[in-house]
PDB file of all heavy atoms in Angstrom:
ATOM      1  N   ASP A 751       9.907 -12.418   9.603  1.00 91.00           N
ATOM      2  CA  ASP A 751      10.994 -11.515   9.374  1.00 91.00           C
ATOM      3  C   ASP A 751      12.205 -12.386   9.185  1.00 91.00           C
ATOM      4  O   ASP A 751      12.683 -13.093  10.125  1.00 91.00           O
ATOM      5  CB  ASP A 751      11.191 -10.536  10.557  1.00 91.00           C
ATOM      6  CG  ASP A 751      12.328  -9.536  10.385  1.00 91.00           C
ATOM      7  OD1 ASP A 751      13.175  -9.712   9.343  1.00 91.00           O
ATOM      8  OD2 ASP A 751      12.534  -8.734  11.216  1.00 91.00           O
ATOM      9  N   ALA A 752      12.699 -12.437   7.954  1.00 92.00           N
ATOM     10  CA  ALA A 752      13.856 -13.407   7.643  1.00 92.00           C
ATOM     11  C   ALA A 752      15.158 -12.904   8.374  1.00 92.00           C
ATOM     12  O   ALA A 752      16.016 -13.782   8.467  1.00 92.00           O
ATOM     13  CB  ALA A 752      14.054 -13.416   6.121  1.00 92.00           C
ATOM     14  N   ALA A 753      15.185 -11.714   8.841  1.00 90.00           N
ATOM     15  CA  ALA A 753      16.368 -11.257   9.574  1.00 90.00           C
ATOM     16  C   ALA A 753      16.243 -11.848  11.085  1.00 90.00           C
ATOM     17  O   ALA A 753      17.313 -11.827  11.778  1.00 90.00           O
ATOM     18  CB  ALA A 753      16.366  -9.777   9.675  1.00 90.00           C
ATOM     19  N   ASP A 754      15.093 -12.477  11.422  1.00 94.00           N
ATOM     20  CA  ASP A 754      14.955 -13.071  12.733  1.00 94.00           C
ATOM     21  C   ASP A 754      15.292 -14.561  12.537  1.00 94.00           C
ATOM     22  O   ASP A 754      14.557 -15.301  11.990  1.00 94.00           O
ATOM     23  CB  ASP A 754      13.516 -12.901  13.252  1.00 94.00           C
ATOM     24  CG  ASP A 754      13.249 -13.558  14.572  1.00 94.00           C
ATOM     25  OD1 ASP A 754      13.949 -14.592  14.868  1.00 94.00           O
ATOM     26  OD2 ASP A 754      12.393 -13.069  15.213  1.00 94.00           O
ATOM     27  N   ARG A 755      16.497 -14.939  13.023  1.00 95.00           N
ATOM     28  CA  ARG A 755      17.002 -16.283  12.677  1.00 95.00           C
ATOM     29  C   ARG A 755      16.063 -17.415  13.205  1.00 95.00           C
ATOM     30  O   ARG A 755      15.822 -18.348  12.472  1.00 95.00           O
ATOM     31  CB  ARG A 755      18.386 -16.414  13.424  1.00 95.00           C
ATOM     32  CG  ARG A 755      19.108 -17.680  13.008  1.00 95.00           C
ATOM     33  CD  ARG A 755      20.521 -17.652  13.606  1.00 95.00           C
ATOM     34  NE  ARG A 755      21.467 -18.497  13.075  1.00 95.00           N
ATOM     35  CZ  ARG A 755      22.103 -18.360  11.857  1.00 95.00           C
ATOM     36  NH1 ARG A 755      21.811 -17.354  11.094  1.00 95.00           N
ATOM     37  NH2 ARG A 755      22.936 -19.225  11.430  1.00 95.00           N
ATOM     38  N   ALA A 756      15.521 -17.314  14.429  1.00 97.00           N
ATOM     39  CA  ALA A 756      14.580 -18.292  14.950  1.00 97.00           C
ATOM     40  C   ALA A 756      13.275 -18.437  14.152  1.00 97.00           C
ATOM     41  O   ALA A 756      12.890 -19.530  13.854  1.00 97.00           O
ATOM     42  CB  ALA A 756      14.305 -18.039  16.402  1.00 97.00           C
ATOM     43  N   ALA A 757      12.794 -17.208  13.745  1.00 96.00           N
ATOM     44  CA  ALA A 757      11.561 -17.205  12.979  1.00 96.00           C
ATOM     45  C   ALA A 757      11.709 -17.852  11.584  1.00 96.00           C
ATOM     46  O   ALA A 757      10.918 -18.651  11.169  1.00 96.00           O
ATOM     47  CB  ALA A 757      11.020 -15.817  12.835  1.00 96.00           C
ATOM     48  N   LEU A 758      12.873 -17.543  10.968  1.00 95.00           N
ATOM     49  CA  LEU A 758      13.114 -18.086   9.684  1.00 95.00           C
ATOM     50  C   LEU A 758      13.395 -19.591   9.811  1.00 95.00           C
ATOM     51  O   LEU A 758      12.802 -20.325   8.963  1.00 95.00           O
ATOM     52  CB  LEU A 758      14.367 -17.424   9.077  1.00 95.00           C
ATOM     53  CG  LEU A 758      14.821 -17.939   7.626  1.00 95.00           C
ATOM     54  CD1 LEU A 758      13.626 -17.721   6.691  1.00 95.00           C
ATOM     55  CD2 LEU A 758      16.057 -17.174   7.177  1.00 95.00           C
ATOM     56  N   ALA A 759      14.084 -19.962  10.808  1.00 96.00           N
ATOM     57  CA  ALA A 759      14.290 -21.511  11.070  1.00 96.00           C
ATOM     58  C   ALA A 759      12.986 -22.205  11.192  1.00 96.00           C
ATOM     59  O   ALA A 759      12.815 -23.346  10.600  1.00 96.00           O
ATOM     60  CB  ALA A 759      15.173 -21.656  12.241  1.00 96.00           C
ATOM     61  N   ALA A 760      12.042 -21.611  11.876  1.00 97.00           N
ATOM     62  CA  ALA A 760      10.709 -22.229  12.101  1.00 97.00           C
ATOM     63  C   ALA A 760      10.033 -22.420  10.753  1.00 97.00           C
ATOM     64  O   ALA A 760       9.373 -23.411  10.464  1.00 97.00           O
ATOM     65  CB  ALA A 760       9.849 -21.482  13.036  1.00 97.00           C
ATOM     66  N   VAL A 761      10.072 -21.360   9.898  1.00 96.00           N
ATOM     67  CA  VAL A 761       9.452 -21.435   8.591  1.00 96.00           C
ATOM     68  C   VAL A 761      10.101 -22.560   7.697  1.00 96.00           C
ATOM     69  O   VAL A 761       9.435 -23.359   7.077  1.00 96.00           O
ATOM     70  CB  VAL A 761       9.546 -20.162   7.788  1.00 96.00           C
ATOM     71  CG1 VAL A 761       9.041 -20.210   6.376  1.00 96.00           C
ATOM     72  CG2 VAL A 761       8.628 -19.037   8.496  1.00 96.00           C
ATOM     73  N   LEU A 762      11.494 -22.534   7.765  1.00 95.00           N
ATOM     74  CA  LEU A 762      12.198 -23.544   6.816  1.00 95.00           C
ATOM     75  C   LEU A 762      11.903 -24.939   7.452  1.00 95.00           C
ATOM     76  O   LEU A 762      11.750 -25.905   6.644  1.00 95.00           O
ATOM     77  CB  LEU A 762      13.660 -23.198   6.911  1.00 95.00           C
ATOM     78  CG  LEU A 762      14.013 -21.940   6.198  1.00 95.00           C
ATOM     79  CD1 LEU A 762      15.539 -21.673   6.234  1.00 95.00           C
ATOM     80  CD2 LEU A 762      13.520 -21.868   4.728  1.00 95.00           C
ATOM     81  N   ASP A 763      11.837 -25.169   8.715  1.00 95.00           N
ATOM     82  CA  ASP A 763      11.575 -26.433   9.340  1.00 95.00           C
ATOM     83  C   ASP A 763      10.166 -26.927   9.009  1.00 95.00           C
ATOM     84  O   ASP A 763       9.941 -28.177   8.973  1.00 95.00           O
ATOM     85  CB  ASP A 763      11.757 -26.409  10.918  1.00 95.00           C
ATOM     86  CG  ASP A 763      13.179 -26.278  11.279  1.00 95.00           C
ATOM     87  OD1 ASP A 763      14.064 -26.583  10.421  1.00 95.00           O
ATOM     88  OD2 ASP A 763      13.313 -25.929  12.468  1.00 95.00           O
ATOM     89  N   ALA A 764       9.217 -26.051   8.665  1.00 95.00           N
ATOM     90  CA  ALA A 764       7.846 -26.353   8.354  1.00 95.00           C
ATOM     91  C   ALA A 764       7.687 -26.770   6.865  1.00 95.00           C
ATOM     92  O   ALA A 764       6.606 -27.264   6.496  1.00 95.00           O
ATOM     93  CB  ALA A 764       6.896 -25.299   8.728  1.00 95.00           C
ATOM     94  N   VAL A 765       8.689 -26.675   5.993  1.00 94.00           N
ATOM     95  CA  VAL A 765       8.675 -27.056   4.634  1.00 94.00           C
ATOM     96  C   VAL A 765       8.408 -28.526   4.592  1.00 94.00           C
ATOM     97  O   VAL A 765       9.264 -29.254   5.169  1.00 94.00           O
ATOM     98  CB  VAL A 765       9.892 -26.570   3.890  1.00 94.00           C
ATOM     99  CG1 VAL A 765       9.791 -27.141   2.441  1.00 94.00           C
ATOM    100  CG2 VAL A 765       9.923 -25.065   3.828  1.00 94.00           C
ATOM    101  N   PRO A 766       7.341 -29.003   3.972  1.00 92.00           N
ATOM    102  CA  PRO A 766       7.076 -30.430   4.008  1.00 92.00           C
ATOM    103  C   PRO A 766       8.127 -31.233   3.165  1.00 92.00           C
ATOM    104  O   PRO A 766       8.619 -30.734   2.110  1.00 92.00           O
ATOM    105  CB  PRO A 766       5.694 -30.530   3.330  1.00 92.00           C
ATOM    106  CG  PRO A 766       5.370 -29.289   2.802  1.00 92.00           C
ATOM    107  CD  PRO A 766       6.338 -28.279   3.317  1.00 92.00           C
ATOM    108  N   GLY A 767       8.536 -32.418   3.687  1.00 93.00           N
ATOM    109  CA  GLY A 767       9.528 -33.180   3.051  1.00 93.00           C
ATOM    110  C   GLY A 767       9.143 -33.663   1.631  1.00 93.00           C
ATOM    111  O   GLY A 767      10.021 -33.806   0.749  1.00 93.00           O
ATOM    112  N   GLU A 768       7.821 -33.689   1.374  1.00 93.00           N
ATOM    113  CA  GLU A 768       7.363 -34.001  -0.001  1.00 93.00           C
ATOM    114  C   GLU A 768       7.603 -32.955  -0.997  1.00 93.00           C
ATOM    115  O   GLU A 768       7.527 -33.186  -2.150  1.00 93.00           O
ATOM    116  CB  GLU A 768       5.889 -34.392   0.073  1.00 93.00           C
ATOM    117  CG  GLU A 768       4.953 -33.285   0.413  1.00 93.00           C
ATOM    118  CD  GLU A 768       3.548 -33.763   0.690  1.00 93.00           C
ATOM    119  OE1 GLU A 768       3.308 -34.114   1.845  1.00 93.00           O
ATOM    120  OE2 GLU A 768       2.719 -33.613  -0.195  1.00 93.00           O
ATOM    121  N   PHE A 769       7.791 -31.700  -0.502  1.00 90.00           N
ATOM    122  CA  PHE A 769       8.133 -30.582  -1.371  1.00 90.00           C
ATOM    123  C   PHE A 769       9.398 -29.885  -0.864  1.00 90.00           C
ATOM    124  O   PHE A 769       9.333 -28.811  -0.275  1.00 90.00           O
ATOM    125  CB  PHE A 769       6.996 -29.578  -1.327  1.00 90.00           C
ATOM    126  CG  PHE A 769       5.704 -30.111  -1.802  1.00 90.00           C
ATOM    127  CD1 PHE A 769       4.655 -30.264  -0.946  1.00 90.00           C
ATOM    128  CD2 PHE A 769       5.467 -30.479  -3.165  1.00 90.00           C
ATOM    129  CE1 PHE A 769       3.421 -30.817  -1.292  1.00 90.00           C
ATOM    130  CE2 PHE A 769       4.288 -31.026  -3.561  1.00 90.00           C
ATOM    131  CZ  PHE A 769       3.211 -31.272  -2.551  1.00 90.00           C
ATOM    132  N   PRO A 770      10.529 -30.551  -1.001  1.00 92.00           N
ATOM    133  CA  PRO A 770      11.795 -29.999  -0.433  1.00 92.00           C
ATOM    134  C   PRO A 770      12.125 -28.655  -1.102  1.00 92.00           C
ATOM    135  O   PRO A 770      11.846 -28.337  -2.208  1.00 92.00           O
ATOM    136  CB  PRO A 770      12.819 -31.082  -0.777  1.00 92.00           C
ATOM    137  CG  PRO A 770      12.303 -31.789  -1.970  1.00 92.00           C
ATOM    138  CD  PRO A 770      10.772 -31.749  -1.824  1.00 92.00           C
ATOM    139  N   LEU A 771      12.808 -27.828  -0.166  1.00 91.00           N
ATOM    140  CA  LEU A 771      13.217 -26.538  -0.633  1.00 91.00           C
ATOM    141  C   LEU A 771      14.422 -26.706  -1.568  1.00 91.00           C
ATOM    142  O   LEU A 771      15.402 -27.332  -1.303  1.00 91.00           O
ATOM    143  CB  LEU A 771      13.607 -25.716   0.556  1.00 91.00           C
ATOM    144  CG  LEU A 771      14.040 -24.267   0.371  1.00 91.00           C
ATOM    145  CD1 LEU A 771      12.878 -23.434  -0.123  1.00 91.00           C
ATOM    146  CD2 LEU A 771      14.637 -23.673   1.579  1.00 91.00           C
ATOM    147  N   THR A 772      14.271 -26.134  -2.802  1.00 92.00           N
ATOM    148  CA  THR A 772      15.386 -26.255  -3.762  1.00 92.00           C
ATOM    149  C   THR A 772      15.870 -24.885  -4.207  1.00 92.00           C
ATOM    150  O   THR A 772      16.852 -24.843  -4.958  1.00 92.00           O
ATOM    151  CB  THR A 772      14.845 -27.093  -4.998  1.00 92.00           C
ATOM    152  OG1 THR A 772      13.750 -26.383  -5.612  1.00 92.00           O
ATOM    153  CG2 THR A 772      14.459 -28.462  -4.656  1.00 92.00           C
ATOM    154  N   ALA A 773      15.192 -23.869  -3.856  1.00 92.00           N
ATOM    155  CA  ALA A 773      15.630 -22.489  -4.322  1.00 92.00           C
ATOM    156  C   ALA A 773      15.032 -21.414  -3.370  1.00 92.00           C
ATOM    157  O   ALA A 773      14.017 -21.661  -2.769  1.00 92.00           O
ATOM    158  CB  ALA A 773      15.227 -22.194  -5.746  1.00 92.00           C
ATOM    159  N   VAL A 774      15.739 -20.339  -3.311  1.00 91.00           N
ATOM    160  CA  VAL A 774      15.262 -19.233  -2.501  1.00 91.00           C
ATOM    161  C   VAL A 774      15.371 -17.897  -3.301  1.00 91.00           C
ATOM    162  O   VAL A 774      16.406 -17.718  -3.938  1.00 91.00           O
ATOM    163  CB  VAL A 774      16.054 -19.046  -1.191  1.00 91.00           C
ATOM    164  CG1 VAL A 774      15.671 -17.712  -0.461  1.00 91.00           C
ATOM    165  CG2 VAL A 774      15.894 -20.254  -0.292  1.00 91.00           C
ATOM    166  N   VAL A 775      14.374 -17.093  -3.351  1.00 89.00           N
ATOM    167  CA  VAL A 775      14.538 -15.800  -4.041  1.00 89.00           C
ATOM    168  C   VAL A 775      14.268 -14.806  -2.901  1.00 89.00           C
ATOM    169  O   VAL A 775      13.190 -14.741  -2.292  1.00 89.00           O
ATOM    170  CB  VAL A 775      13.346 -15.715  -5.171  1.00 89.00           C
ATOM    171  CG1 VAL A 775      13.468 -14.188  -5.689  1.00 89.00           C
ATOM    172  CG2 VAL A 775      13.599 -16.724  -6.200  1.00 89.00           C
ATOM    173  N   HIS A 776      15.277 -14.039  -2.597  1.00 85.00           N
ATOM    174  CA  HIS A 776      15.224 -13.099  -1.487  1.00 85.00           C
ATOM    175  C   HIS A 776      15.191 -11.663  -2.017  1.00 85.00           C
ATOM    176  O   HIS A 776      16.151 -11.264  -2.662  1.00 85.00           O
ATOM    177  CB  HIS A 776      16.491 -13.279  -0.631  1.00 85.00           C
ATOM    178  CG  HIS A 776      16.605 -12.387   0.569  1.00 85.00           C
ATOM    179  ND1 HIS A 776      17.633 -11.473   0.711  1.00 85.00           N
ATOM    180  CD2 HIS A 776      15.782 -12.124   1.556  1.00 85.00           C
ATOM    181  CE1 HIS A 776      17.448 -10.823   1.824  1.00 85.00           C
ATOM    182  NE2 HIS A 776      16.263 -11.183   2.404  1.00 85.00           N
ATOM    183  N   THR A 777      14.041 -11.081  -1.813  1.00 85.00           N
ATOM    184  CA  THR A 777      13.865  -9.662  -2.457  1.00 85.00           C
ATOM    185  C   THR A 777      13.543  -8.662  -1.379  1.00 85.00           C
ATOM    186  O   THR A 777      12.738  -7.777  -1.638  1.00 85.00           O
ATOM    187  CB  THR A 777      12.783  -9.708  -3.492  1.00 85.00           C
ATOM    188  OG1 THR A 777      11.573 -10.125  -2.866  1.00 85.00           O
ATOM    189  CG2 THR A 777      13.072 -10.651  -4.619  1.00 85.00           C
ATOM    190  N   ALA A 778      14.209  -8.710  -0.199  1.00 77.00           N
ATOM    191  CA  ALA A 778      13.958  -7.767   0.882  1.00 77.00           C
ATOM    192  C   ALA A 778      14.243  -6.396   0.480  1.00 77.00           C
ATOM    193  O   ALA A 778      15.165  -6.125  -0.288  1.00 77.00           O
ATOM    194  CB  ALA A 778      14.737  -8.191   2.087  1.00 77.00           C
ATOM    195  N   GLY A 779      13.521  -5.385   1.036  1.00 74.00           N
ATOM    196  CA  GLY A 779      13.831  -4.075   0.721  1.00 74.00           C
ATOM    197  C   GLY A 779      13.109  -3.134   1.765  1.00 74.00           C
ATOM    198  O   GLY A 779      11.974  -3.261   2.019  1.00 74.00           O
ATOM    199  N   VAL A 780      13.957  -2.197   2.298  1.00 76.00           N
ATOM    200  CA  VAL A 780      13.398  -1.065   3.146  1.00 76.00           C
ATOM    201  C   VAL A 780      14.029   0.126   2.557  1.00 76.00           C
ATOM    202  O   VAL A 780      15.150   0.204   2.213  1.00 76.00           O
ATOM    203  CB  VAL A 780      13.901  -1.315   4.539  1.00 76.00           C
ATOM    204  CG1 VAL A 780      13.558  -0.070   5.435  1.00 76.00           C
ATOM    205  CG2 VAL A 780      13.350  -2.569   5.242  1.00 76.00           C
ATOM    206  N   LEU A 781      13.140   1.117   2.337  1.00 77.00           N
ATOM    207  CA  LEU A 781      13.609   2.440   1.673  1.00 77.00           C
ATOM    208  C   LEU A 781      13.760   3.405   2.829  1.00 77.00           C
ATOM    209  O   LEU A 781      12.869   3.550   3.635  1.00 77.00           O
ATOM    210  CB  LEU A 781      12.528   2.829   0.674  1.00 77.00           C
ATOM    211  CG  LEU A 781      12.825   4.034  -0.043  1.00 77.00           C
ATOM    212  CD1 LEU A 781      14.125   3.888  -0.900  1.00 77.00           C
ATOM    213  CD2 LEU A 781      11.680   4.433  -0.969  1.00 77.00           C
ATOM    214  N   ASP A 782      14.830   4.122   2.790  1.00 79.00           N
ATOM    215  CA  ASP A 782      15.116   5.305   3.626  1.00 79.00           C
ATOM    216  C   ASP A 782      15.958   6.228   2.768  1.00 79.00           C
ATOM    217  O   ASP A 782      17.083   6.368   2.871  1.00 79.00           O
ATOM    218  CB  ASP A 782      15.872   4.872   4.847  1.00 79.00           C
ATOM    219  CG  ASP A 782      15.919   6.015   5.817  1.00 79.00           C
ATOM    220  OD1 ASP A 782      15.426   7.137   5.552  1.00 79.00           O
ATOM    221  OD2 ASP A 782      16.556   5.717   6.939  1.00 79.00           O
ATOM    222  N   ASP A 783      15.198   7.023   1.893  1.00 79.00           N
ATOM    223  CA  ASP A 783      15.863   7.955   1.075  1.00 79.00           C
ATOM    224  C   ASP A 783      16.600   9.015   1.756  1.00 79.00           C
ATOM    225  O   ASP A 783      16.216   9.501   2.789  1.00 79.00           O
ATOM    226  CB  ASP A 783      14.853   8.598   0.097  1.00 79.00           C
ATOM    227  CG  ASP A 783      14.353   7.688  -1.056  1.00 79.00           C
ATOM    228  OD1 ASP A 783      14.942   6.606  -1.270  1.00 79.00           O
ATOM    229  OD2 ASP A 783      13.358   7.925  -1.610  1.00 79.00           O
ATOM    230  N   GLY A 784      17.719   9.402   1.240  1.00 78.00           N
ATOM    231  CA  GLY A 784      18.553  10.467   1.868  1.00 78.00           C
ATOM    232  C   GLY A 784      19.833  10.620   1.115  1.00 78.00           C
ATOM    233  O   GLY A 784      20.320   9.674   0.494  1.00 78.00           O
ATOM    234  N   VAL A 785      20.539  11.588   1.309  1.00 81.00           N
ATOM    235  CA  VAL A 785      21.826  11.753   0.833  1.00 81.00           C
ATOM    236  C   VAL A 785      22.887  11.057   1.756  1.00 81.00           C
ATOM    237  O   VAL A 785      22.641  10.863   2.974  1.00 81.00           O
ATOM    238  CB  VAL A 785      22.245  13.342   0.669  1.00 81.00           C
ATOM    239  CG1 VAL A 785      21.347  13.941  -0.375  1.00 81.00           C
ATOM    240  CG2 VAL A 785      22.146  14.072   1.977  1.00 81.00           C
ATOM    241  N   LEU A 786      23.980  10.773   1.191  1.00 79.00           N
ATOM    242  CA  LEU A 786      24.987   9.945   1.912  1.00 79.00           C
ATOM    243  C   LEU A 786      25.475  10.635   3.255  1.00 79.00           C
ATOM    244  O   LEU A 786      25.605  10.028   4.277  1.00 79.00           O
ATOM    245  CB  LEU A 786      26.237   9.676   1.020  1.00 79.00           C
ATOM    246  CG  LEU A 786      27.176   8.631   1.578  1.00 79.00           C
ATOM    247  CD1 LEU A 786      26.551   7.319   1.982  1.00 79.00           C
ATOM    248  CD2 LEU A 786      28.302   8.377   0.658  1.00 79.00           C
ATOM    249  N   ASP A 787      25.556  11.953   3.219  1.00 82.00           N
ATOM    250  CA  ASP A 787      26.031  12.734   4.401  1.00 82.00           C
ATOM    251  C   ASP A 787      25.003  12.601   5.515  1.00 82.00           C
ATOM    252  O   ASP A 787      25.290  12.763   6.708  1.00 82.00           O
ATOM    253  CB  ASP A 787      26.288  14.167   4.073  1.00 82.00           C
ATOM    254  CG  ASP A 787      27.416  14.453   3.156  1.00 82.00           C
ATOM    255  OD1 ASP A 787      28.259  13.441   2.932  1.00 82.00           O
ATOM    256  OD2 ASP A 787      27.612  15.492   2.586  1.00 82.00           O
ATOM    257  N   ALA A 788      23.746  12.315   5.188  1.00 82.00           N
ATOM    258  CA  ALA A 788      22.708  12.242   6.258  1.00 82.00           C
ATOM    259  C   ALA A 788      22.456  10.850   6.778  1.00 82.00           C
ATOM    260  O   ALA A 788      21.709  10.624   7.622  1.00 82.00           O
ATOM    261  CB  ALA A 788      21.421  12.830   5.700  1.00 82.00           C
ATOM    262  N   LEU A 789      23.265   9.855   6.250  1.00 81.00           N
ATOM    263  CA  LEU A 789      23.072   8.531   6.651  1.00 81.00           C
ATOM    264  C   LEU A 789      23.736   8.294   8.048  1.00 81.00           C
ATOM    265  O   LEU A 789      24.887   8.536   8.158  1.00 81.00           O
ATOM    266  CB  LEU A 789      23.749   7.621   5.601  1.00 81.00           C
ATOM    267  CG  LEU A 789      23.503   6.037   5.745  1.00 81.00           C
ATOM    268  CD1 LEU A 789      22.014   5.765   5.652  1.00 81.00           C
ATOM    269  CD2 LEU A 789      24.246   5.308   4.738  1.00 81.00           C
ATOM    270  N   THR A 790      22.913   7.939   8.963  1.00 88.00           N
ATOM    271  CA  THR A 790      23.391   7.634  10.320  1.00 88.00           C
ATOM    272  C   THR A 790      23.564   6.154  10.452  1.00 88.00           C
ATOM    273  O   THR A 790      22.957   5.378   9.729  1.00 88.00           O
ATOM    274  CB  THR A 790      22.381   8.170  11.362  1.00 88.00           C
ATOM    275  OG1 THR A 790      21.235   7.445  11.273  1.00 88.00           O
ATOM    276  CG2 THR A 790      22.192   9.704  11.218  1.00 88.00           C
ATOM    277  N   PRO A 791      24.254   5.687  11.472  1.00 88.00           N
ATOM    278  CA  PRO A 791      24.460   4.331  11.702  1.00 88.00           C
ATOM    279  C   PRO A 791      22.982   3.598  11.916  1.00 88.00           C
ATOM    280  O   PRO A 791      22.760   2.529  11.493  1.00 88.00           O
ATOM    281  CB  PRO A 791      25.245   4.163  12.978  1.00 88.00           C
ATOM    282  CG  PRO A 791      26.087   5.413  12.932  1.00 88.00           C
ATOM    283  CD  PRO A 791      25.178   6.545  12.331  1.00 88.00           C
ATOM    284  N   GLY A 792      22.128   4.209  12.643  1.00 87.00           N
ATOM    285  CA  GLY A 792      20.757   3.796  12.795  1.00 87.00           C
ATOM    286  C   GLY A 792      19.974   3.620  11.550  1.00 87.00           C
ATOM    287  O   GLY A 792      19.298   2.670  11.400  1.00 87.00           O
ATOM    288  N   ARG A 793      20.131   4.656  10.728  1.00 86.00           N
ATOM    289  CA  ARG A 793      19.362   4.500   9.393  1.00 86.00           C
ATOM    290  C   ARG A 793      19.956   3.434   8.551  1.00 86.00           C
ATOM    291  O   ARG A 793      19.232   2.669   7.906  1.00 86.00           O
ATOM    292  CB  ARG A 793      19.454   5.880   8.637  1.00 86.00           C
ATOM    293  CG  ARG A 793      18.497   6.954   9.295  1.00 86.00           C
ATOM    294  CD  ARG A 793      18.655   8.215   8.589  1.00 86.00           C
ATOM    295  NE  ARG A 793      18.105   8.191   7.217  1.00 86.00           N
ATOM    296  CZ  ARG A 793      18.251   9.102   6.359  1.00 86.00           C
ATOM    297  NH1 ARG A 793      18.904  10.284   6.651  1.00 86.00           N
ATOM    298  NH2 ARG A 793      17.706   8.954   5.149  1.00 86.00           N
TER     299      ARG A 793
END
């Protein structure tokens, strides 16, 4: 879960030096359809 700072750090730390990270494509998405009036802080 890239929103989990420690978990993401562990993944990034495991990237081998022979293949350095040079780019990130972040395509996260969670869908919770609804009208704006129904949007709660939790949603």
Side-chain angles (χ1 to χ4, degrees):
D751 180 354
D754 178 334
R755 190 174 199 73
L758 181 60
V761 170
L762 296 176
D763 288 344
V765 173
E768 64 191 85
F769 302 110
L771 183 66
T772 59
V774 172
V775 177
H776 178 237
T777 61
V780 170
L781 182 63
D782 188 0
D783 285 344
V785 294
L786 190 55
D787 292 347
L789 188 61
T790 65
R793 287 177 67 190

